[in-house]
Amino acid sequence: MLSLLRTLLDGAGAKAEDRLKDQFAVDLLAQRIRDAEAGLACAKQTLASLIVRQRAEQASLDQLDRRIADLETRTRSALAAGAEALAHDGASAIAELENEREVRRTTVRSLTEKTLRMRLSLEQAHRRIVDLNQGMISARAIDAEQKAQRRLNRSIGRTASLNEAEALLARIRERSDPFEEASILDEIDAGLSQEAIRGKLEEAGHGPSTKVRAQDVLERLKSTH
C-alpha cells in the first residue's frame, strides 16, 4: 500500500514538474543559457591561466637551451685548453640543466595538449551557446504566439462555442424578413378587399356573373322543361 502511494505521489510530482517546465520553458531556457555563458566565461579564464603558464614554461625552456649552449661552448674551450677540472665542472652543470630541460619539455607538452583540448571544448561550447541564443529568439516568438492564442481562446471560447455561434448566425440569416411579411399581408388584404367589392358589384347585376346562382339554375331548368 505504501509503495503504491509512493508511486502515485511520484507520478503526480512528475506531472506537476512537467507542467511547470511547459509553463516556464522560455524562462528556464534563458536561465540555462545564462548558466552556460557563465561556465564558458569561467572556462575562458582557466584557459587564459593555462596559456600564461605554458608561455612561462616555454620561456624557461628557451632560457635553458641558451644556458646549455653557452656552457657547452665554454666546456669545449676548457677541454681544448687542457683544463680537465673546469671541463668536468662544466659537463656536470650541463647534465643538470639537460635533466631540468627534459622535465620542462614534458611540462610544456602537457600544457600545450591541455590548452589545445580546452580551446576545442570552448569553441564547441561557444557554438552551442550561439545556437541556443538563436533558438531562444524562435522560442520567444512561439511562446508569445501560444500565449496570444490562449488569451484568444479565453475571450471567445473554444471551438464548440464558435461552432454554436456560427449555427445561430445561420439560423438568424434564414429567418424571414418581418417587414417583407408585413408587405405581403398588406397586398393580400388589398386583394381581398378588391374581391369583396367585385362580389358586391356582381350581385347587384353589374357585369357578368362569375358564380352559379340559384336563380340561374331555376331559369335553366324552366327552359328545358
Side-chain angles (χ1 to χ4, degrees), residues 7-18:
T7 301
L8 291 174
L9 289 174
D10 291 341
K15 288 182 179 179
E17 182 179 356
D18 289 339

Side-chain angles (χ1 to χ4, degrees), residues 121-136:
S121 297
L122 284 176
E123 290 174 359
Q124 292 175 355
H126 176 71
R127 286 195 297 269
R128 292 178 68 183
I129 290 175
V130 169
D131 292 340
L132 285 172
N133 279 317
Q134 291 176 348
M136 185 68 182

Side-chain angles (χ1 to χ4, degrees), residues 16 27-28 46 83 94 106 109 150 153 194 196 219:
D27 296 330
L28 290 172
T46 302
I94 291 171
T106 302
R109 282 196 299 268
R150 285 194 292 269
N153 290 340
Q194 293 169 2
E219 290 179 357

Side-chain angles (χ1 to χ4, degrees), residues 7 9 57 78 80 97 99 179 189 192 204 218 220:
T7 301
L9 289 174
E57 289 292 335
L97 291 176
N99 289 330
F179 295 102
D189 290 340
L192 291 175
L218 289 174
R220 186 179 70 247

Side-chain angles (χ1 to χ4, degrees), residues 47 110-122:
L47 176 61
S110 176
L111 289 173
T112 301
E113 292 173 357
K114 289 180 180 179
T115 301
L116 179 60
R117 287 197 301 268
M118 182 160 283
R119 279 185 184 275
L120 293 175
S121 297
L122 284 176

